[in-house]
Amino acid sequence: MILNKTAVKRLFHREGIQVNILALNYIDEWALEVVTEMIENAKVEGYKRVKLKAVKKICPSLIWEPSND
């Protein structure tokens, strides 16, 4: 488990949306895949420490939408 499922469930409930455990498990698996890909990207880029600027470079391109800054 990579995410706190109770916290994720609360986020949905706060917006009036019910989410079941199977959906939470799928979200957790998805998050694990994203983080695993970020780790691999960081290794390829030679990072030893990940800071905010590094996150923008190692995050999967379909996930991260960089700001115009």
Side-chain angles (χ1 to χ4, degrees):
M1 177 174 83
I2 193 166
L3 296 174
N4 180 325
K5 290 179 185 165
T6 301
V8 174
K9 191 173 186 176
R10 283 186 188 139
L11 290 171
F12 277 94
H13 283 196
R14 200 178 297 159
E15 298 299 322
I17 302 168
Q18 293 182 355
V19 60
N20 70 15
I21 191 67
L22 296 176
L24 289 171
N25 288 339
Y26 180 80
I27 292 167
D28 192 59
E29 289 175 21
W30 173 82
L32 178 60
E33 289 178 21
V34 170
V35 172
T36 301
E37 187 172 343
M38 289 176 71
I39 292 167
E40 290 301 318
N41 291 344
K43 287 168 60 176
V44 166
E45 294 292 326
Y47 285 104
K48 298 294 181 188
R49 179 176 294 130
V50 176
K51 296 181 181 180
L52 180 58
K53 285 185 179 182
V55 171
K56 293 177 181 180
K57 292 179 182 176
I58 65 172
C59 196
S61 60
L62 295 176
I63 306 294
W64 186 269
E65 295 180 17
S67 64
N68 294 333
D69 295 338

